Amino acid sequence: YMFRTSPFDTPPSNIRLVSPANDVNIFSTTIQFSWEEPTAKSFRLQISTTSDFSSLFADIQGITGNSRSVSGLSTKTKYYWR
């Protein structure tokens, strides 16, 4: 186990979701996630079919931009993300 302290003088501001909207229905097997948070060096995106994230569909680390496209989604499936 380990942890690191933040190199920032102040904590990063809250990430603001741009898209997708919460609880939206999409008609595609690909989705674009977009957010705003100017001080983070990278992001991690997790997508799951279970609300407790015990079964991950995707675990994408090291995202350096403010958006990420995810494909290969199954139709008629509820997904959770964080």
Side-chain angles (χ1 to χ4, degrees), residues 15 20 28-30 39 48 56:
I15 296 170
S28 175
T29 57
T30 300
T39 58
S48 177
L56 292 177

Side-chain angles (χ1 to χ4, degrees), residues 18-49:
V18 175
S19 69
N22 188 39
D23 203 24
V24 70
N25 288 316
I26 62 167
F27 299 95
S28 175
T29 57
T30 300
I31 189 168
Q32 179 78 21
F33 292 90
S34 300
W35 54 87
E36 290 181 0
E37 206 297 297
T39 58
K41 291 183 179 181
S42 67
F43 297 94
R44 180 178 187 178
L45 174 63
Q46 292 183 319
I47 304 170
S48 177
T49 54

Side-chain angles (χ1 to χ4, degrees), residues 1-22:
Y1 301 99
M2 67 180 270
F3 68 91
R4 296 174 194 244
T5 57
S6 173
F8 300 107
D9 293 333
T10 59
S13 59
N14 289 334
I15 296 170
R16 187 178 79 78
L17 176 66
V18 175
S19 69
N22 188 39

Side-chain angles (χ1 to χ4, degrees), residues 49-71:
T49 54
T50 58
S51 61
D52 65 356
F53 290 82
S54 59
S55 175
L56 292 177
F57 169 78
D59 186 3
I60 307 164
Q61 299 181 46
I63 301 170
T64 56
N66 285 3
S67 67
R68 178 64 182 229
S69 181
V70 177
S71 60

